[in-house]
Amino acid sequence: YAKKKHRAGYSEFGKEFEQELQQRLHMAAELRHCVERNELHLMYQAQICLKTKRILGAEALVRWTHKGQIIPPNDFISTAESSGYIVPMGYWILEEACRQQVEWKTELSYEITIAVNVSIRQLKDPQFLKRTDQILEKTGINPSSLEIEVTESMMMEDNNTLHSVLNDIRKRGIQVALDDFGTGYSSLSYLQQLPIDHLKIDQSFISKITKSSQDSAITALMISIGELLNLKVIAEGVETYEQQEELIKLGCSEAQGYFYSKPISKTEFIKLLTTMNQ
Ligand code: C2E
Ligand code: MG
Ligand code: MG
Ligand code: MG
């Protein structure tokens, strides 16, 4: 009886697995057309200076409209990565983000940085530097107004090509931020070698900062590491006034999160810019 039950359970599992595989294959096929069908758009989330409370930058976050539904990146980026489609998709995202930064600068005289997330697959594309240069030239963005975000977990793989691509990126004046900092296991000596300018403290720490003295202490430590390595530090996922005040107390200089603004459309972002940075 035990054996039979086990087998039934196993085949149930097999069915679910097969269904999920089918869904993923279907999504991968649909994703391949998202750029040409104009199904991608960017949302922008403000990055705030905690001293002046002005907007210093915006992070571009991609959305996919598929069959009338807006799909968040966590539901499709991994499929785009495994199919390789993240590469052309990533160039569309980079160009759109740069074009937007230049538009805010030339039409509204607001010069803020634009941060763009990239995945490892994109950085490993042999064309990455060439295509990036083409985008810089085409859009006319000042390279120092562009920031590339890489995650700490992605940098855990001690990869020479990855480091050299990021070094070449920085030689152009483009900044590099380490996203989701604190969730990987980078040692201090490893961090010191990384070609980065900015640490983004992961929101999992910030969400507990006012409730747990341990999380507050860990955050304080991450801020000190940033100071030690001469890196700017930004706190991600700030949702409350209390969290902001705690971060100011700990000496954090920048913040991003729902407390200031959710990711919003470009039109809404202009309204936010004109109110906060007047
Ligand atoms: P991320 O780069 O760490 O982005 C932060 C995520 O946290 C965003 O989710 C943002 O909307 C959300 N967030 C911001 N503030 C708050 C807050 O105060 N509270 C809470 N609970 N959440 C907050 P989103 O837009 O769904 O993006 C998820 C992830 O997808 C990003 O994490 C990033 O890793 C990836 N991603 C987004 N856009 C792109 C892209 O253009 N290319 C690539 N390769 N990955 C992207
Ligand atoms: Mg990010
Ligand atoms: Mg993050
Ligand atoms: Mg994340």
Side-chain angles (χ1 to χ4, degrees):
Y1 174 73
K3 221 176 184 176
K4 216 173 174 183
K5 195 176 162 194
H6 178 79
R7 262 203 216 119
Y10 185 81
S11 83
E12 267 310 287
F13 173 75
K15 216 182 222 165
E16 256 174 47
F17 178 73
E18 200 182 294
Q19 253 175 15
E20 198 185 308
L21 192 70
Q22 282 299 332
Q23 273 171 6
R24 275 194 155 243
L25 285 172
H26 179 68
M27 181 186 265
E30 291 290 287
L31 260 176
R32 285 200 171 274
H33 305 284
C34 70
V35 170
E36 71 205 46
R37 289 178 184 160
N38 281 317
E39 291 173 346
L40 293 182
H41 71 274
L42 299 182
M43 298 287 265
Y44 302 90
Q45 190 178 32
Q47 299 181 322
I48 309 290
C49 170
L50 284 173
K51 273 215 182 79
T52 63
K53 306 284 158 60
R54 289 167 73 89
I55 299 175
L56 296 170
E59 178 175 0
L61 296 154
V62 71
R63 301 290 182 261
W64 176 33
T65 305
H66 182 54
K67 294 179 180 159
Q69 268 200 314
I70 297 181
I71 305 178
N74 285 336
D75 292 353
F76 68 86
I77 291 288
S78 71
T79 305
E81 279 168 351
S82 49
S83 71
Y85 189 67
I86 190 74
V87 174
M89 192 168 151
Y91 292 127
W92 183 88
I93 292 167
L94 187 62
E95 185 172 331
E96 177 74 6
C98 290
R99 198 184 301 126
Q100 190 59 73
Q101 194 279 344
V102 172
E103 197 180 295
W104 287 329
K105 182 185 165 186
T106 54
E107 289 180 17
L108 302 155
S109 300
Y110 286 115
E111 174 125 54
I112 60 167
T113 58
I114 187 86
V116 181
N117 295 282
V118 296
S119 58
I120 192 157
R121 197 69 191 249
Q122 294 174 259
L123 292 177
K124 284 184 174 171
D125 176 36
Q127 303 288 311
F128 187 75
L129 290 167
K130 200 182 103 193
R131 292 292 301 269
T132 300
D133 285 337
Q134 286 170 349
I135 291 171
L136 293 179
E137 195 173 353
K138 189 173 171 191
T139 60
I141 191 172
N142 179 348
S144 63
S145 295
L146 174 63
E147 183 162 82
I148 296 291
E149 292 194 5
V150 298
T151 63
E152 187 183 19
S153 59
M154 164 176 155
M155 296 308 293
M156 290 311 291
E157 171 182 343
D158 196 358
N159 185 304
N160 283 333
T161 22
L162 209 57
H163 286 207
S164 93
V165 169
L166 290 179
N167 270 316
D168 286 337
I169 280 290
R170 292 179 77 219
K171 277 185 202 146
R172 286 155 169 78
I174 299 171
Q175 303 180 67
V176 178
L178 194 64
D179 206 349
D180 304 344
F181 178 58
T183 60
Y185 300 92
S186 308
S187 64
L188 260 184
S189 61
Y190 183 61
L191 265 181
Q192 194 180 12
Q193 291 166 35
L194 285 181
I196 55 173
D197 306 278
H198 219 155
L199 291 179
K200 298 194 75 177
I201 302 178
D202 191 67
Q203 60 185 57
S204 57
F205 300 97
I206 310 304
S207 65
K208 290 176 283 182
I209 197 177
T210 52
K211 295 191 191 99
S212 130
S213 57
Q214 203 172 350
D215 279 281
S216 171
I218 293 172
T219 304
L221 184 61
M222 292 193 277
I223 294 167
S224 307
I225 291 173
E227 273 166 17
L228 186 72
L229 300 178
N230 222 348
L231 303 169
K232 288 177 292 172
V233 177
I234 182 164
E236 283 193 280
V238 178
E239 293 185 350
T240 67
Y241 175 79
E242 288 72 26
Q243 289 168 351
Q244 169 187 270
E245 293 308 297
E246 180 70 13
L247 285 162
I248 293 172
K249 219 165 72 188
L250 298 176
C252 188
S253 55
E254 297 171 21
Q256 178 180 348
Y258 294 172
F259 178 59
Y260 309 99
S261 169
K262 290 197 168 185
I264 49 182
S265 72
K266 56 181 178 182
T267 341
E268 291 172 302
F269 196 83
I270 291 172
K271 282 188 217 151
L272 188 71
L273 253 182
T274 45
T275 37
M276 290 190 67
N277 284 24
Q278 59 191 338

